């Protein structure tokens, strides 16, 4: 578990072990297939913090999807005929698998 040290009269608690334990408990990446395109999305909690802050808003989740999938995969999706509603289905499932409801911030108490 965590260890603590006294440093100039102030207790310092190391949370490294607890942080690693929580990270190790994250679910695996999910492989999706839609309209002939296969792509993989990591659990939202594995995303960099700057992206996690954006996924509470569905419109921002589209931008996060684009950044997470990369330019080449997004182009493949456009070429396959993906529509905004299709991206919404992906975003909602991704949020659901992360244990979130649309509009819920990553900074919620469940984080």
């Amino acid at each position: 578990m965590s260890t603590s040290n006294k440093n100039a009269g102030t207790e310092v608690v190391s949370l490294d072990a607890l942080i690693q334990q929580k990270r190790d408990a994250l679910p695996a990446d999910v492989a999706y297939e839609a309209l002939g395109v296969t792509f993989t999305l990591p659990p939202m909690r594995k995303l960099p913090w700057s992206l996690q802050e954006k996924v509470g808003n569905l419109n921002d989740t589209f931008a996060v999807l684009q950044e997470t999938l990369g330019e080449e995969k997004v182009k493949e999706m456009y070429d396959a005929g993906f529509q905004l509603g299709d991206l919404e289905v992906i975003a909602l499932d991704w949020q659901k698998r992360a244990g979130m409801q649309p509009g819920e911030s990553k900074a919620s108490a469940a984080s």
Side-chain angles (χ1 to χ4, degrees), residues 42 49 51 110:
W49 192 355
L51 291 178

Side-chain angles (χ1 to χ4, degrees), residues 79-90:
D79 292 346
F82 275 73
Q83 298 175 354
L84 188 58
D86 305 329
L87 296 178
E88 183 176 4
V89 169
I90 296 164

Side-chain angles (χ1 to χ4, degrees), residues 28-98:
D29 295 358
V30 175
Y32 290 94
E33 187 281 323
L35 303 177
V37 177
T38 302
F39 53 96
T40 302
L41 292 171
M44 288 182 175
R45 296 189 198 294
K46 280 188 182 176
L47 294 173
W49 192 355
S50 61
L51 291 178
Q52 286 186 28
E53 292 178 319
K54 297 178 182 178
V55 296
N57 178 323
L58 190 57
N59 290 330
D60 288 341
T61 301
F62 296 151
V64 172
L65 270 172
Q66 289 181 311
E67 190 163 337
T68 302
L69 292 171
E71 187 177 322
E72 187 176 312
K73 185 56 72 173
V74 170
K75 182 183 179 330
E76 183 182 351
M77 293 168 89
Y78 283 134
D79 292 346
F82 275 73
Q83 298 175 354
L84 188 58
D86 305 329
L87 296 178
E88 183 176 4
V89 169
I90 296 164
L92 289 172
D93 188 76
W94 194 25
Q95 286 180 329
K96 182 181 85 178
R97 290 177 187 278

Side-chain angles (χ1 to χ4, degrees), residues 3-14:
T3 60
S4 64
N5 300 314
K6 293 274 185 182
N7 184 8
T10 302
E11 183 176 12
V12 178
V13 178
S14 174

